[in-house]
Amino acid sequence: MDFAYSPRLAELKQRAADLTAKIMPYEDQCERENGLPPEAHAAIRQEVLASGLQAINTPVEWGGSGLSVLEQVVVQDELGKLTNALWDTVWRPANPLVHATPEQRERYLVPDARGERRDAVAITEADAGSDPSGIATTAVRDGDGFVLNGEKWFVTVGDAADFLLVLANVPDGGPTMFLVDTDLPGVRIKRVPRYTHTFVYEHPEFTFSDVRLGADAVLGGVGQGYELTRDWFTEERLMIGARTIGAAERALTLATDWARERVQGGVPLIERQLIQGMIADSVVDIATNRALTHQVAWEFDQADLSDPAVRKTLHAKAATVKLAASEAANRVADRCQQIFGGRGYMREYPVERLWRELRVDRIWEGTSEIQRLVIANHVAKRGLSSLVTFPEAR
């Protein structure tokens, strides 16, 4: 077992840290203006391309960086230190796009990987959140194509996307993923709700009214929608684990620096035992969850993903990472805000933004409660061992 960064991982980590440092100056503007203007997005896009960290989950031959899962986690850990979700300006195409046909790949995935197009995933509905099997959106066959009707909520990056991955029920075929251009007749943003965090992009609600789609809009085959959705959730949950730990580290770095400088009662805060306890607990939360996240990412890279049993185990392990890391990061951010006192409640301080932004990581891509169900159901069906022990070398 080797727990050291290889030269390759160390170089990626530094490259991601350098890119993070170049994006970080946009944080205050994004907070003040509830987003960034086009010229700022254009400047960030150039920095992303220069770093070579665009589309890190996409093969090089399709315009991406072609990183392994562990390499992606190392990069996301660094990007997670950005507030205002500016990590999302470093685009990463939704992983179901790897199932695109050659024609779909050229039209959607390749320009997406290059940063010339942007996708958004539309799964959740008003009455179908944690359980996507309750979706009411339909795609009814009409000649050689389909007619799409329905509504989707919480479509992250939907305001910037020019195409969506929409999960809909085909009445005689089952849940299916469709590629839907946002400029098609019948596609409309219904409203853009305000949320707790100040995100660089929006999470609008979309309606689809008699949207006509060709047969070539189907992604991965009719009836394959749940499989694609589960694979998307699995990858996203692992990356959430990485980003939340990066965010927690930044919060703790800020808090410890502040505790050294802030003197109360003639003594720096960092010498007060109650403050020391908060710092120590936060170190434990960060160190243990970073180790778990990296371990599971490594397991993904070693696994035979053609084996359904292996994929199900990794799905449960990603749920374990997401649950543990997101809840730990929220604990860390809360402690760090407390160390800052009143300043920690001011939006101009990054620690306040991290505290506010990390809250959603216990909700999206599956609530903490859903992660617990995934983990417990895996134990009930397949036993405990695969989730709490290391795999054997192949």
Side-chain angles (χ1 to χ4, degrees), residues 314-344:
L314 290 174
H315 178 68
K317 286 202 166 188
T320 305
V321 166
K322 201 260 190 186
L323 172 64
S326 66
E327 299 224 337
N330 272 264
R331 292 193 296 269
V332 172
D334 189 75
R335 295 185 197 112
C336 292
Q337 187 183 45
Q338 193 73 9
I339 289 171
F340 270 92
R343 289 172 174 81

Side-chain angles (χ1 to χ4, degrees), residues 139-384:
V140 177
R141 293 185 189 273
D142 182 52
D144 293 334
F146 301 84
V147 177
L148 179 69
N149 281 282
E151 185 173 313
K152 294 293 182 179
W153 285 33
F154 310 126
V155 184
T156 301
V157 197
D159 60 314
D162 61 352
F163 72 96
L164 309 174
L165 283 72
V166 179
L167 184 65
N169 274 318
V170 175
D172 60 347
T176 302
M177 192 82 76
F178 290 89
L179 295 166
V180 180
D181 291 290
T182 57
D183 61 357
L184 286 175
V187 178
R188 183 175 69 90
I189 290 180
K190 179 181 178 181
R191 72 183 187 111
V192 182
R194 295 267 60 80
Y195 293 92
T196 300
H197 58 216
T198 307
F199 203 103
V200 65
Y201 299 112
E202 301 285 3
H203 318 273
E205 297 170 9
F206 277 84
T207 59
F208 307 96
S209 303
D210 293 329
V211 180
R212 296 197 168 273
L213 303 172
D216 59 354
V218 174
L219 179 63
V222 172
Q224 297 301 306
Y226 285 159
E227 285 297 313
L228 297 184
T229 299
R230 185 175 66 179
D231 288 348
W232 178 70
F233 275 138
T234 299
E235 179 180 294
E236 286 300 310
R237 288 166 181 170
L238 192 54
M239 297 306 151
I240 285 171
R243 288 196 301 268
T244 55
I245 293 308
E249 183 183 357
R250 184 181 179 195
L252 186 57
T253 299
L254 292 167
T256 52
D257 288 346
W258 170 252
R260 288 189 186 95
E261 299 169 5
R262 179 69 165 165
V263 175
Q264 290 288 279
V267 177
L269 285 180
I270 203 164
E271 295 181 17
R272 299 289 188 181
Q273 287 186 342
L274 289 175
I275 301 298
Q276 291 175 340
M278 287 190 246
I279 292 172
D281 288 344
S282 297
V283 168
V284 171
D285 276 334
I286 293 168
T288 55
N289 281 283
R290 178 169 281 141
L292 174 63
T293 303
H294 283 57
Q295 173 206 324
V296 174
W298 176 86
E299 289 184 31
F300 265 83
D301 289 330
Q302 310 306 310
D304 177 9
L305 296 180
S306 65
D307 185 337
V310 170
R311 289 174 64 191
K312 289 176 181 178
T313 296
L314 290 174
H315 178 68
K317 286 202 166 188
T320 305
V321 166
K322 201 260 190 186
L323 172 64
S326 66
E327 299 224 337
N330 272 264
R331 292 193 296 269
V332 172
D334 189 75
R335 295 185 197 112
C336 292
Q337 187 183 45
Q338 193 73 9
I339 289 171
F340 270 92
R343 289 172 174 81
Y345 209 61
M346 298 168 68
R347 290 193 176 205
E348 65 197 69
Y349 280 73
V351 73
E352 185 275 343
R353 300 197 293 272
L354 291 166
W355 169 78
R356 188 158 33 95
E357 292 157 11
L358 281 164
R359 184 61 181 85
V360 75
D361 290 297
R362 291 161 54 195
I363 298 173
W364 61 7
E365 272 68 280
T367 63
S368 289
E369 291 69 33
I370 289 296
Q371 307 314 305
R372 290 182 170 96
L373 291 178
V374 170
I375 296 163
N377 286 337
H378 182 91
V379 171
K381 293 176 182 178
R382 300 174 189 88
L384 181 64

